[in-house]
Structures are given as structure tokens and as C-alpha cells.
Amino acid sequence: MTEAVEYDVVVLGGGPAGENIADRTRAAGLSTALVESELVGGECSYWACVPSKALLRPVLARADARRVPGLAAAARGPLDPAAVFAHRDYWTGSWKDDGQADWLDSIGAHLYRGHGRLYGIRKVSVTSPEGEHHVLSARHAVVVATGSRAVIPALPGITGARPWTSREATSAQEVPGRLLIVGGSVVAAEMATAWQGLGSQVTVLVRGSRLLPRMEPFAGELVADALREAGAVVRTGAAVEAVVRDGSTGPVTVVLEGGETLVGDELLMATGRAPRTEDIGLDTLGLAPGEWIGVDESCRVPGHDWLYAVGDVNHRALLTHQGKYQARIAGAAIAARAAARAAGGASSGAEADSGRWGAHAATADTLALPQVVFTDPEAAAVGLGLAEAERAGHRVRAVDYDLSKVSGAGLYADGYRGRARMVVDLDREVLLGATFVGPGAAELLHSATVAVAAEVPIARLWHAVPAFPTISEIWLRLLEEYRG
């Protein structure tokens, strides 16, 4: 190893969370190094959020257009996959990260390309693709932001079948004639929507009883109904036992429990995520390689006052916007603790350890976690669902309303179908959660997020008047239902 190069902060992982840490620590005047083994910008920019939405947007826009009088006939034709792929490739920078790397340089962060590993207290070793070795030492903090990877279950024949993961599903350059999707997750629902819309014959195999099991039951039901109407096959209670690929490029066969077989041209396994922590040196700190990293509310790892973990690796919320939020929290905490040390305070930051963190505590991950599933219809939710709230011991009431009865929805599209639910804490009369399912429902979510995060009293929400005629009028209808 060469002599260590010292920085105030070393960030291991250059995805959205790692980039945001670097941005915040540099803004606080702390020298920062960022280590990335693939592309700066990470999973979200190249294989997840950005390319998936680029694939989905034309599908959803066409679906909306087909429900608008005077426009429906013009939107009956097929999409142009080549144009959709070109648009997707533009937004991913054709899987080149020059722009992101230039941005890091513009804020004064130092980029090290290669595989980084923790080795002891406040040190990170980096091996570049060319075999060069560097040692980085951190005065104040090392931040792990290495993200997560797709999990492929160890089914017989799975290796030879060469299944897609979310990466292949968002970067493919051809439309498969038949696409089998295993899983009931967000990835399964979104990629079924995208590829069915682009011309594949999609079959979704859900082991459980419904799509989108982490959302209110009606969300998965409405999305599954719409997929079926679009021509996809959605089967629940379908457990896969084995997979067989015919040669190197031939069709793939899925064997279900009971012996039934299904054949497709490609197979997408959308069966969960695991932390990318298996080879980053956690064992040198007494932590378990390949496991999620537990953190406190400032995203610091207990027992290691210099080590932080943000984004997917801490398992608080596997969503890009939440990882970026955590990075902002952790960046503020690191800067505050560094300032405390410089002023002669305790090495761990006395104010931080006293529990009086205020804005430097990550609370949105548990109180007001927003998520949108970009299917047709869109499914958007924040906070607790009804079952979650009841399991948590709250005395609650769920208030439901048919979104199609809101005048703004009828004007948005003919035959609009959707549903909304708010979950109210009856003891405090505040919202614990809200779910909206319907075309354009994603744009309703932030108002609900503000209401949940700020614990706005129901009595005060009456004075947030929704504009007429918009779909946001659903708020008035939900409140009327609650008051009876």
C-alpha cells in the first residue's frame, strides 16, 4: 500500500446518496474523496429510476391519450421502440458518466475509480481497474453508500438461463416477443407495464396473493386489472421451481410448482434486493459482510463514531429520494460534529450524542415515507397503510373514496378509475398515511407527504382548499367522508 492520502471525509459509493454526501460535506468546507467502482450516478441514473421512467413515460402518455375524447383515435397505433430506446439512452448518457464526474470535479470532490474497501479505523483502500492501489484516510468520517443489488434465487437451472435483473430490463435494446416476469414487486409491476406497452407479451408470476404487497390491497388489484386489460397475464400463487434455457439464445422455460411449464423469450427475476456490502471490508470493523448496516437517526453506525451508512445499505428505505434525504441528514451531522471537534468539543460531538438533533435526525424514513409506482394506473402512497397502523397499535380509521367521482378526474380522462384512502389517527386526529391509485395520482402525493410529516390536524386540513376542477379535490371528499 502507498502512503495514505488524507481527506476530511471519504465516501464509498458514488450513487445518488454518495453524491449528495459529497455535495453537503464540500459545501461545509470539508475535503472529500469519493470512491466508485462503476458509474458515478449509480443504479438510479443508469439502471433503475431514470431509464425505467424513460421507458414508461411513452406507455403512460399513450394510455392517457387513449382516454381523452378527440385524441383517442390518434393514439391507437403502436409505440416506436427505437425512438423510446433512444430517449432512454439519452437520459442515461448512453451509460457514460462524464457529466457526473465533471460535476464532482466542479464542487471540489476528488474521484477515485476502483473497488474500495474499509480496512481499519477511518481508512479505505482503493484498487483501480488498472491495478493501482491507493489508501485514503479520513479525519472525520467514512460514509458507506454502496447501494444494493438484485437478488436471484438459487433455482435449478437459473445460472444457465441467464435471467434479466432490473438492470437488463431497463437497458435492453430489443423488445422480447414473450417476457416472463417472476415477482410481485415494484420492479415487476413497472417493467410489466413498460414492456407490454412496447409490444411484448408479458406474463407476471406472483408467488403471493397480489401485486404490490407492501401497499394497500386495492393498489395491487387495480394495477393487475389494468395489466390484464392491456393484454398481459398476471397470475398469483405461482411458485417457480426451476428454469431451463434452450441453448445460448433459445427460449427459456419456467417450471411452476405442480409441473406446469411456461415459455418465454426472456425471463426477468424481480425477486428482491440485497446490500452491496459483501466485499467492502466490514469484517475489519467487526461487522458482517453481505449484511445491511444498522444506523442511528443521523445515519451513523453504532459503536463507530466516524462511520456512516446512507441509502440502500442501511435498509431504512430502498428508495433513491430517501437515500438522498439520508445523505443530507448525514452530511449535516458530519459537518456539525467536525465543527464541534474543531471548537474543542467531544470527539463524537456533544450536541449530537445528547439527542437534541432537531433537523439532523432522519425521521422521514419512518414517519412519512413516500413512494410512487409508475404503472397505469399510478399507485402513490406515504406513511402507514391501514394494516401497518393497526399492527403498530394505533387506534385508526381508514377513509376511502372513489377517485372517479371527483370532477377533476372525469375531466382528466374518460372512464377514469381509481381509489384513494387516508388513514387517520383517531386519538390525535392527524393523518398517519394516504394512498392514491389512478392516472396522474403521483402528483397528489407530496401534499399528503406534507400533511403526514407535519402532522397537520384534520381540523386544519379543512382550510387547505383544493383548486377546482382538479383531481386534488379528492382531499375535500376524503375530509367530508371522515366528518360524515
Side-chain angles (χ1 to χ4, degrees):
M1 291 290 181
T2 60
E3 185 176 344
V5 181
E6 192 173 54
Y7 296 88
D8 290 321
V9 179
V10 177
V11 182
L12 189 54
E19 288 179 310
N20 272 262
I21 278 282
D23 189 34
R24 291 305 168 110
T25 54
R26 284 300 301 130
L30 301 176
S31 60
T32 302
L34 185 145
V35 181
E36 174 53 47
S37 61
E38 292 186 291
L39 298 175
V40 178
E43 199 80 12
C44 174
S45 298
Y46 304 102
W47 300 287
C49 321
V50 171
S52 67
K53 302 316 166 281
L55 292 175
L56 282 159
R57 178 57 189 151
V59 175
L60 301 182
R62 182 182 62 174
D64 279 346
R66 286 176 171 178
R67 292 187 282 260
V68 178
L71 185 58
R76 290 298 171 194
L79 294 172
D80 178 355
V84 175
F85 295 156
H87 179 66
R88 184 264 325 265
D89 294 354
Y90 168 81
W91 279 98
T92 61
S94 295
W95 292 274
K96 295 178 182 178
D97 66 356
D98 297 352
Q100 297 298 95
D102 288 345
W103 172 80
L104 276 179
D105 185 62
S106 74
I107 66 170
H110 194 125
L111 172 62
Y112 287 84
R113 293 191 181 273
H115 180 67
R117 299 185 83 254
L118 299 159
Y119 84 104
I121 297 174
R122 292 190 177 89
K123 284 188 171 59
V124 173
S125 66
V126 184
T127 303
S128 76
E130 296 75 29
E132 297 177 349
H133 297 284
H134 303 276
V135 177
L136 312 179
S137 177
R139 297 184 189 92
H140 297 297
V142 173
V143 185
V144 178
T146 48
S148 65
R149 57 177 174 80
V151 171
I152 300 179
L155 296 169
I158 195 70
T159 301
R162 300 179 310 284
W164 282 4
T165 67
S166 53
R167 285 196 168 194
E168 290 77 18
T170 57
S171 62
Q173 297 290 342
E174 294 183 1
V175 179
R178 300 163 297 175
L179 175 62
L180 304 176
I181 300 178
V182 177
S185 65
V186 174
V187 170
E190 289 191 345
M191 290 298 94
T193 301
W195 288 105
Q196 183 69 33
L198 285 165
S200 287
Q201 174 55 59
V202 171
T203 299
V204 185
L205 303 172
V206 185
R207 186 183 186 91
S209 60
R210 59 187 171 89
L211 276 178
L212 306 176
R214 295 183 180 275
M215 301 185 85
E216 297 282 16
F218 63 82
E221 292 165 3
L222 286 167
V223 171
D225 288 347
L227 281 170
R228 292 185 180 108
E229 289 180 9
V233 175
V234 180
R235 295 181 54 174
T236 58
V240 177
E241 288 193 333
V243 181
V244 180
R245 171 77 78 170
D246 184 6
S248 59
T249 60
V252 60
T253 300
V254 166
V255 183
L256 300 182
E257 191 175 75
E260 182 183 357
T261 60
L262 299 170
V263 180
D265 297 295
E266 294 293 350
L267 168 66
L268 165 59
M269 300 299 293
T271 47
R273 308 286 298 179
R276 296 182 64 185
T277 60
E278 62 275 11
D279 187 26
I280 61 168
L282 291 182
D283 52 307
T284 69
L285 303 175
L287 299 174
E291 298 294 328
W292 307 103
I293 304 174
V295 296
D296 65 17
E297 288 195 342
S298 64
C299 296
R300 186 168 61 172
V301 180
H304 304 274
D305 65 2
W306 54 274
L307 183 63
Y308 295 73
V310 297
D312 285 9
V313 290
N314 65 31
H315 208 227
R316 289 172 67 102
L318 276 65
L319 295 163
T320 295
H321 48 273
Q322 294 301 124
K324 293 162 74 172
Y325 160 76
Q326 292 170 10
R328 296 191 293 271
I329 295 294
I334 291 167
R337 286 169 174 147
R341 293 187 191 101
S347 62
S348 60
E351 181 189 358
D353 296 330
S354 71
R356 298 188 299 272
W357 253 126
H360 303 325
T363 59
D365 294 342
T366 54
L367 296 178
L369 176 64
Q371 181 175 18
V372 177
V373 185
F374 292 90
T375 45
D376 176 32
E378 292 174 337
V382 63
L384 300 179
L386 176 59
E388 290 176 297
E390 291 175 336
R391 284 195 299 268
H394 297 286
R395 193 172 68 91
V396 295
R397 177 185 165 196
V399 181
D400 291 353
Y401 199 84
D402 183 345
L403 262 172
S404 69
K405 294 181 178 179
V406 175
S407 55
L411 290 166
Y412 187 93
D414 273 2
Y416 189 104
R417 283 183 290 176
R419 186 172 170 186
R421 167 175 288 178
M422 68 178 186
V423 178
V424 181
D425 183 325
L426 293 173
D427 294 319
R428 295 183 298 144
E429 285 216 314
V430 298
L431 261 64
L432 292 178
T435 300
F436 308 97
V437 182
E443 300 306 327
L444 295 169
L445 189 60
H446 193 62
S447 56
T449 302
V450 171
V452 174
E455 299 179 313
V456 180
I458 292 290
R460 191 63 203 161
L461 280 178
W462 275 102
H463 300 283
V465 181
F468 178 87
T470 67
I471 303 176
S472 292
E473 196 179 17
I474 184 62
W475 282 105
L476 176 59
R477 303 305 169 215
L478 287 169
L479 291 169
E480 288 173 340
E481 286 290 311
Y482 178 70
R483 290 300 185 196

